[in-house]
Amino acid sequence: MKTNPADGLKDTMWRFLMTGNQKGNPQLLKEYVYDLIQMATQKTAGQRGNKKDISYRELEALEWSIVIEATCLVLSGQIDKLIEDKGENNDQNR
């Protein structure tokens, strides 16, 4: 299994990327992913003012939100717990 390269750094600037220094929020990640699915499946590209449609102007921010929340889940160790709970070792499946 790969290890986090930031864990070996002795520089305070990179502490936020070290394992254990973030808290993941799986519920928020799930909401962001559902918003992305909503955007992908809406028929208006967010242009017609339908209240439930999400404007495509928000796409980049939404994508970054997903990346950041997923990173927090990895750095917090919550992903490792989920993998262990399922009894899966995804590194062997690659």
Side-chain angles (χ1 to χ4, degrees):
M1 179 157 112
K2 289 186 175 185
T3 59
N4 183 351
D7 288 343
L9 299 175
K10 295 189 179 1
D11 189 340
T12 312
M13 179 178 155
W14 298 107
R15 180 161 281 156
F16 74 99
L17 288 175
M18 294 178 182
T19 303
N21 287 331
Q22 296 291 334
K23 289 186 178 182
N25 187 339
Q27 184 60 39
L28 188 57
L29 177 61
K30 186 176 179 179
E31 289 176 26
Y32 288 149
V33 169
Y34 286 166
D35 285 347
L36 182 63
I37 292 169
Q38 170 67 31
M39 290 178 77
T41 59
Q42 65 193 20
K43 308 262 189 292
T44 64
Q47 298 169 349
R48 294 203 183 122
N50 188 345
K51 288 184 181 181
K52 67 179 184 172
D53 285 350
I54 302 170
S55 172
Y56 270 56
R57 292 182 197 138
E58 298 178 34
L59 180 60
E60 186 175 0
L62 181 60
E63 290 171 334
W64 274 109
S65 297
I66 291 170
V67 168
I68 291 166
E69 283 303 321
T71 301
C72 288
L73 283 174
V74 170
L75 293 176
S76 70
Q78 288 176 281
I79 287 291
D80 295 331
K81 291 176 188 170
L82 290 171
I83 292 170
E84 289 172 10
D85 289 347
K86 287 196 163 218
E88 298 175 4
N89 186 345
N90 288 341
D91 288 341
Q92 292 178 353
N93 296 332
R94 292 183 187 187

